[in-house]
Amino acid sequence: MKRIFLIVLLVIPSLSFCQSNDWLTSLDAAKRLALVQDKMVLMIWEEAAFLPLPVTLKDDNGKQVFIDDLFENQILINLLRDYFILVKVNEQEYEALFQAIKNKRSTTYINKFNDDSIKILDVNGIIVNSNKEPYREFLNITKFIIKYDINTSFIKAELTSYRNQQNFETTLSLASKYIELAIFTIESARQDIITLSDIYLDEAQNHLLNDTIENKLSVIRKIELLKIKQQLILNRPRKVLRQLKRIDDIKADAANEELVAFLYVTAYRILKDEDNAASWRSKISLINLKKSNQIISNSN
């Protein structure tokens, strides 16, 4: 992370910068570039960029600095470009983009899509910050960058496979990888990444209706367990244990044995119940044990 605070030394005398042509105007081009550069996309509706967006940030002394309009400040725009792929989308593209998500997304998501606020998208154009209300006052640009500066190299293979072919396997794999990414994401962004993973899990379930999948019962169970894993990452171990105990014949599910063990071990360890965790520990790999350790560290 670059030193965001130092930018204030240059910001104050630069408030009269005019809008430049540094923003991309093609969403498809922005998504492709984001995949190459392992970044998220920062999108704004083109007409919304003509409205002032007041922001704040802190200088090196911790003093809050107020900027009347982000879009009129070229230095701040250049700063954002270091962390995101910037794109302004013309309103004429609205209808086609809306039809692609109509009846597929939650009301909260649709509201975020429709409003004039900044949207953070993944490389497939899915809104990451859909849980958030439009900014009513000043946007804290420092916190915003720290929160959504998410390096996606960890999931690049899954993102690439999904872009090349969208089917049950690639969608489920990407959803699962996003859940793992949330383990290593800053706490303030964790819920957003989990919500994003849930969109892909729902899409994977839709593929089950049309794709030819062997052992469907096992993969349906896997989706159920991944949703429980989401709760684990959000530090809800008691809920995890309740949900696991409601699943019939879970101990006989050989295909998902390690995932089940991972959930039990981690939930019990968060609750400091080492006796119950011990009976499951031998069933998880060293790699998953390290992930378990990270989740436990996040919960403290």
Side-chain angles (χ1 to χ4, degrees):
M1 169 69 70
K2 298 186 179 79
R3 293 199 66 191
I4 300 170
F5 303 131
L6 290 178
I7 197 70
V8 173
L9 299 177
L10 301 174
V11 165
I12 293 178
S14 65
L15 299 183
S16 61
F17 270 104
C18 296
Q19 291 181 359
S20 72
N21 295 319
D22 295 323
W23 294 68
L24 295 176
T25 56
S26 167
L27 181 56
D28 285 340
K31 291 189 293 185
R32 290 195 298 271
L33 193 57
L35 180 63
V36 171
Q37 295 189 13
D38 302 319
K39 293 180 178 180
M40 294 289 181
V41 174
L42 188 155
M43 171 200 156
I44 190 78
W45 292 112
E46 187 174 56
E47 291 185 6
F50 291 103
L51 302 173
L53 177 60
V55 300
T56 68
L57 65 165
K58 290 183 178 181
D59 63 17
D60 286 343
N61 297 319
K63 181 181 178 181
Q64 200 82 357
V65 177
F66 297 88
I67 310 298
D68 291 334
D69 186 5
L70 167 67
F71 301 119
E72 291 284 345
N73 192 297
Q74 190 61 43
I75 291 179
L76 284 184
I77 291 173
N78 291 341
L79 175 67
L80 287 173
R81 191 179 298 107
D82 287 340
Y83 301 98
F84 308 102
I85 305 300
L86 308 185
V87 61
K88 291 178 182 176
V89 178
N90 192 285
E91 303 286 344
Q92 293 181 352
E93 296 185 41
Y94 169 85
E95 188 59 31
L97 292 172
F98 177 72
Q99 290 301 323
I101 63 173
K102 184 180 179 182
N103 302 322
K104 294 181 181 179
R105 302 285 183 263
S106 67
T107 300
T108 301
Y109 186 101
I110 296 295
N111 288 341
K112 183 65 177 182
F113 172 82
N114 286 330
D115 70 34
D116 289 335
S117 67
I118 288 175
K119 300 163 213 333
I120 297 298
L121 315 178
D122 77 349
V123 303
N124 299 311
I126 307 298
I127 299 175
V128 179
N129 59 333
S130 62
N131 293 316
K132 305 304 176 186
E133 292 292 325
Y135 299 102
R136 304 298 183 189
E137 298 178 354
F138 283 76
L139 167 64
N140 187 315
I141 200 71
T142 306
K143 289 183 178 179
F144 184 87
I145 290 173
I146 291 172
K147 181 174 183 177
Y148 293 112
D149 173 31
I150 301 170
N151 186 303
T152 57
S153 58
F154 177 69
I155 61 173
K156 190 164 191 169
E158 289 75 17
L159 287 169
T160 301
S161 295
Y162 178 88
R163 283 179 65 84
N164 290 337
Q165 185 177 14
Q166 297 175 23
N167 54 33
F168 172 78
E169 183 178 348
T170 60
T171 305
L172 184 63
S173 179
L174 180 55
S176 178
K177 202 69 172 182
Y178 262 125
I179 294 172
E180 291 194 5
L181 179 63
I183 299 173
F184 305 100
T185 301
I186 187 171
E187 183 179 3
S188 60
R190 208 165 288 148
Q191 177 64 70
D192 287 339
I193 299 301
I194 290 297
T195 300
L196 181 62
S197 72
D198 212 39
I199 290 174
Y200 286 105
L201 282 181
D202 289 344
E203 185 178 326
Q205 288 178 310
N206 290 333
H207 279 300
L208 278 175
L209 301 176
N210 303 309
D211 294 4
T212 302
I213 307 292
E214 294 183 5
N215 199 4
K216 271 195 175 184
L217 290 177
S218 178
V219 295
I220 290 172
R221 173 64 55 79
K222 183 174 182 178
I223 292 174
E224 185 178 6
L225 291 170
L226 287 174
K227 285 182 176 287
I228 296 175
K229 186 176 180 181
Q230 292 172 332
Q231 300 303 312
L232 186 68
I233 293 169
L234 294 175
N235 195 24
R236 298 165 185 166
R238 297 186 188 281
K239 184 174 183 178
V240 168
L241 293 175
R242 289 198 307 270
Q243 291 179 332
L244 286 171
K245 290 172 182 177
R246 290 174 187 157
I247 299 177
D248 295 333
D249 301 323
I250 192 170
K251 294 182 179 180
D253 186 2
N256 295 304
E257 181 179 32
E258 184 167 4
L259 178 53
V260 171
F262 175 86
L263 296 174
Y264 270 117
V265 164
T266 311
Y268 280 129
R269 291 181 67 205
I270 291 174
L271 296 172
K272 304 186 185 307
D273 185 349
E274 292 294 338
D275 290 338
N276 276 310
S279 62
W280 294 95
R281 193 185 296 266
S282 64
K283 298 180 180 180
I284 66 173
S285 66
L286 180 60
I287 291 176
N288 278 329
L289 183 59
K290 290 180 178 178
K291 293 174 185 176
S292 176
N293 290 340
Q294 183 62 50
I295 293 174
I296 293 164
S297 176
N298 292 342
S299 70
N300 295 329

